[in-house]
Amino acid sequence: MDQKRILETIRMFDEEHLDIRTVTLGISLLDCVDASSDVACRKIYDKIVRYGRDLVQAADQVGKTYGVTVVNKRVSVTPIALIAGACGDKDYVKFAQTMDRAAQEIGVDFIGGFSALVHGTMTPADEILIRSIPQALAQTEKVCASVNVGTTKDGLNMSAVKLLGETIKETAEHTAQADSIGCAKLVVFANAVEDNPFMAGAFHGVGMGDVVLHVGVSGPGVVKHALEKVRGARFEVVSETIKKTAFKITRLGELVGSKVAEAIGVPFGTIDLSLAPTPAVGDSVARILEEIGVEFAGGHGTTAALALLNDAVKKGGIMASDHVGGLSGAFIPVSEDEGMIAAARNGHIGLDKLEAMTCVCSVGLDMIAIPGDTKASTLSAIIADEAMIGIINQKTTAVRIIPVVGKTVGEEAFFGGLLGSAPILPVHPGSCDELTCRGGYIPAPVHSFKN
């Protein structure tokens, strides 16, 4: 690796919102299983603290050495439903509280993995975990939850989707005093990946070994700045410019991630090169789409521009490193992107256009605020729509949607920090009750059997 060239890249991108968005330490908890939840929780706490106690200090020191900011330090763990099932507890809030205490002790920003994988079917432990989510997220500060409800090979578990619509509704009510912010820490996936370093959906996959460090790099401002220099050029030039920029960002991420991993004595895993925006001006994916040529995010041509952006980012990253993984592409969270917030406020973008964009972005319907009186069955139907986009197209999709209790269309939800704010978007009025009450599975698409 040419460190001199990487340092030149850092200097070149100064003032352009280039950062290491996260280093995430994945920790397996499979050896913490015990029939006693008290014993299991003690093992979980001790292992997280043992491996994670130096993470924050190491990330800050490496960032200082190379002149970049490591914005977030995080931990992900084995899906808790796989660990807690050995005990006889009727809820798993105790496990979430243990995760939260460990996260507080080592000083990380978030801890992910209060999760269940139910794309095949729900075990009793899976169902207990899902039903525990509202209380768990209301009673913790740093814990994030996720559930994988479908895969291209298995199809979509509609019984789990129905339960999750009810769970999101209940989570919103438990955190109503803070604009239902609990829902911002809950993601419903299809085709979830094991090495995602970004919250709220990160968990440590069972195939990832005992401990590993992943890094997530982001730089929407850098990409926009690069595209400003090729205004009016052909699309081939636009694609090549994005690829070259992604290449440089990836090299930087590989350097920083490997150095942090070395400092804390764990293996280095993957780089997730995702253009993850923030509410700050100059750090917006929507503004990149405008630079490509659409007047505003949500206008005609938005999906094509986003497809080009996502593909070029992946190509540049893969060319730069053998460690590219996670989700790697472009995120379109409404509340976390200054340009998306503006488009939503001005009525340029709604749920239908956002759903179309998720066919070509890296995740899905993300950080979208909707009326608090939205029915649970409607939430389930939104999840089902988005999950099937991922299942049919063999890609990861997700839903992080927030029915803001006490607010409706025309008002705005305020979450603070990197979570930003979001205008309340309307949902379609038609009933989804008959759709979601059927239960069972939407079968896997036929092309999943080509293996």
Side-chain angles (χ1 to χ4, degrees):
M1 184 183 299
D2 188 345
Q3 293 195 15
K4 181 179 178 182
R5 186 171 298 174
I6 292 170
L7 292 173
E8 289 173 353
T9 299
I10 295 170
R11 289 191 291 271
M12 183 191 309
F13 292 162
D14 190 28
E15 305 292 327
E16 295 172 20
H17 294 272
L18 173 62
D19 57 47
I20 305 300
R21 186 57 50 87
T22 179
V23 290
T24 300
L25 182 65
I27 301 173
S28 172
L29 302 182
L30 293 176
D31 55 353
C32 299
V33 173
D34 198 280
S36 165
S37 60
D38 289 335
V39 173
C41 286
R42 185 171 68 249
K43 290 179 179 178
I44 289 168
Y45 178 86
D46 290 345
K47 189 168 187 181
I48 292 171
V49 172
R50 182 170 74 252
Y51 278 117
R53 65 171 69 254
D54 297 325
L55 176 63
V56 173
Q57 181 181 356
D60 288 341
Q61 184 57 52
V62 171
K64 182 178 180 181
T65 298
Y66 292 102
V68 296
T69 300
V70 181
V71 178
N72 282 287
K73 299 86 178 176
R74 299 160 172 171
V75 167
S76 63
V77 298
T78 307
I80 289 296
L82 299 177
I83 309 304
C87 71
D89 290 25
K90 300 303 181 184
D91 72 67
Y92 297 154
V93 175
K94 179 191 298 183
F95 288 85
Q97 292 170 332
T98 299
M99 293 166 62
D100 201 50
R101 284 194 300 111
Q104 299 277 1
E105 174 64 23
I106 64 178
V108 294
D109 298 284
F110 292 105
I111 182 166
F114 195 75
S115 307
L117 309 177
V118 299
H119 44 273
T121 187
M122 278 193 292
T123 66
D126 293 327
E127 184 171 349
I128 291 172
L129 184 132
I130 293 171
R131 293 188 183 279
S132 299
I133 286 173
Q135 285 286 354
L137 297 184
Q139 295 182 30
T140 59
E141 180 183 346
K142 297 177 180 288
V143 172
C144 294
S146 61
V147 181
N148 191 66
V149 295
T151 68
T152 297
K153 186 173 183 179
D154 295 289
L156 180 60
N157 184 342
M158 283 298 294
S159 296
V161 169
K162 179 180 183 297
L163 177 57
L164 280 158
E166 298 163 0
T167 301
I168 292 171
K169 186 79 171 174
E170 188 177 347
T171 302
E173 291 166 353
H174 274 77
T175 54
Q177 76 287 352
D179 277 352
S180 302
I181 196 170
C183 297
K185 297 188 290 179
L186 170 58
V187 183
V188 182
F189 277 113
N191 290 325
V193 297
E194 294 189 323
D195 59 347
N196 167 26
F198 286 99
M199 296 297 171
F203 63 86
H204 183 71
V206 295
M208 298 302 299
D210 195 46
V211 61
V212 66
L213 185 108
H214 304 298
V215 61
V217 188
S218 183
V222 178
V223 174
K224 183 179 185 302
H225 181 79
L227 291 178
E228 288 171 359
K229 299 177 181 178
V230 295
R231 285 178 178 167
R234 294 171 60 88
F235 279 109
E236 296 92 333
V237 176
V238 173
S239 177
E240 188 67 19
T241 300
I242 297 170
K243 284 193 294 182
K244 288 179 178 178
T245 305
F247 179 93
K248 295 173 183 177
I249 296 173
T250 304
R251 284 292 177 90
L252 171 63
E254 185 171 40
L255 172 66
V256 172
S258 61
K259 292 297 182 182
V260 174
E262 180 182 331
I264 62 174
V266 304
F268 177 58
T270 58
I271 306 164
D272 188 320
L273 175 61
S274 288
L275 299 183
T278 73
V281 174
D283 203 24
S284 165
V285 170
R287 300 306 183 192
I288 298 176
L289 304 180
E290 293 172 5
E291 187 62 43
I292 291 174
V294 299
E295 184 176 351
F296 44 76
H300 297 301
T302 297
T303 305
L306 181 59
L308 180 149
L309 172 64
N310 209 55
D311 181 65
V313 165
K314 291 178 184 292
K315 287 175 177 173
I318 290 170
M319 184 167 57
S321 173
D322 292 330
H323 295 280
V324 174
L327 299 167
S328 289
F331 292 176
I332 52 170
V334 174
S335 79
E336 299 175 11
D337 185 310
E338 168 268 326
M340 294 290 285
I341 294 169
R345 282 176 180 158
N346 294 326
H348 296 318
I349 200 162
L351 270 171
D352 291 340
K353 185 60 177 180
L354 285 165
E355 184 178 300
M357 293 167 68
T358 66
C359 296
V360 298
C361 80
S362 281
V363 191
L365 296 171
D366 197 14
M367 287 302 293
I368 298 171
I370 61 174
D373 61 359
T374 302
K375 295 178 65 175
S377 59
T378 301
L379 296 171
S380 296
I382 291 170
I383 292 168
D385 280 344
E386 188 59 28
M388 287 309 299
I389 287 174
I391 289 168
I392 292 292
N393 291 290
Q394 303 184 28
K395 69 184 293 291
T396 301
T397 52
V399 172
R400 187 163 49 147
I401 197 162
I402 305 163
V404 183
V405 174
K407 292 190 174 181
T408 190
V409 177
E411 298 181 89
E412 192 154 328
F414 299 92
F415 307 117
L418 290 176
L419 297 178
S421 62
I424 309 296
L425 296 181
V427 299
H428 291 294
S431 173
C432 306
D433 293 352
E434 290 191 23
L435 174 76
T436 58
C437 74
R438 287 178 179 272
Y441 283 81
I442 294 180
V446 68
H447 58 63
S448 69
F449 293 103
K450 63 185 179 183
N451 60 334

